[in-house]
Amino acid sequence: SITTTAVITGVDGDVASWSGNTVDFSRRVYEKPWSRVAPYLVGVATAFALHDFGARFVRRLPVTTRVLMAAAAGFMFFSVVYGPARINRDMTSTDAWSQGTHTFYLSFARVGWAVGLSLMLALFVCGYGGALRDLFQHRVWVPFARLTYEAYLVHPIWILTVNWLRVQLWAYSDLAFVEAFLLAFAGAY
């Protein structure tokens, strides 16, 4: 799936920006089930590793390794979310990245997010994470956790439906992203 996404985005000149042709990108890449295979496999591999090796393995890791795991997870999260922020904010600076950088981001962003989640999950399962772990373990999240995979499959349909019902073009702003997130969240769950 990473290779297919890289070939499609590289050949078609897709950019990691809301100013690009997002309808075409969604139709050719984002909506396709194979674009979701790699992150899903990362999750399955993490589940098997945690089941087979369990907390015994991670508990024996040195503190520096655990800190590096947490830092790598944070780096993955922030680079996926804020990596293309300048391009999206300026809307005219799509040339700030080379086509290779756009292709790399579009091909690996979902996998990077899944790897970050896997690192964080391994630490949480082993009892590390403090207040953040306590927050994520709160019982209010249980119903959402049971529906997560369903939401992962359904949210593209919901996003497409909302976008096709729009009567005006989508303008980038922080408030617009919050609105889009809340609509996708409500529709998927």
Side-chain angles (χ1 to χ4, degrees):
S1 83
I2 293 171
T3 305
T4 308
T5 302
V7 168
I8 290 171
T9 58
V11 168
D12 293 342
D14 291 320
V15 295
S17 168
W18 291 105
S19 66
N21 191 346
T22 56
V23 173
D24 248 9
F25 175 78
S26 290
R27 185 180 48 78
R28 288 180 289 104
V29 178
Y30 188 76
E31 297 168 16
K32 305 300 182 195
W34 46 257
S35 74
R36 304 182 183 300
V37 169
Y40 181 74
L41 291 177
V42 169
V44 169
T46 300
F48 276 117
L50 288 173
H51 181 266
D52 290 344
F53 303 112
R56 299 175 312 228
F57 176 72
V58 178
R59 281 198 182 126
R60 285 188 254 143
L61 291 174
V63 173
T64 53
T65 304
R66 294 192 307 258
V67 168
L68 287 174
M69 286 173 67
F75 174 77
M76 297 282 192
F77 296 146
F78 283 104
S79 63
V80 167
V81 173
Y82 295 109
R86 187 177 126 218
I87 292 171
N88 285 320
R89 177 70 67 181
D90 297 343
M91 297 300 251
T92 57
S93 64
T94 56
D95 58 347
W97 283 1
S98 68
Q99 184 57 47
T101 306
H102 284 289
T103 300
F104 181 84
Y105 178 84
L106 293 170
S107 302
F108 285 97
R110 288 172 196 78
V111 175
W113 187 266
V115 169
L117 284 176
S118 295
L119 291 170
M120 189 174 72
L121 178 66
L123 293 171
F124 286 176
V125 164
C126 297
Y128 303 107
L132 188 59
R133 177 178 177 250
D134 294 340
L135 173 70
F136 287 146
Q137 283 187 332
H138 195 276
R139 65 178 181 213
V140 73
W141 302 116
V142 171
F144 297 112
R146 292 181 179 150
L147 295 171
T148 297
Y149 186 64
E150 177 271 338
Y152 184 63
L153 295 175
V154 169
H155 88 275
I157 298 165
W158 180 254
I159 291 171
L160 279 174
T161 303
V162 168
N163 283 340
W164 284 108
L165 292 174
R166 286 189 185 276
V167 294
Q168 62 188 24
L169 292 176
W170 197 81
Y172 174 83
S173 72
D174 293 336
L175 184 60
F177 267 123
V178 170
E179 174 194 359
F181 169 77
L182 292 175
L183 283 171
F185 184 80
Y189 284 103

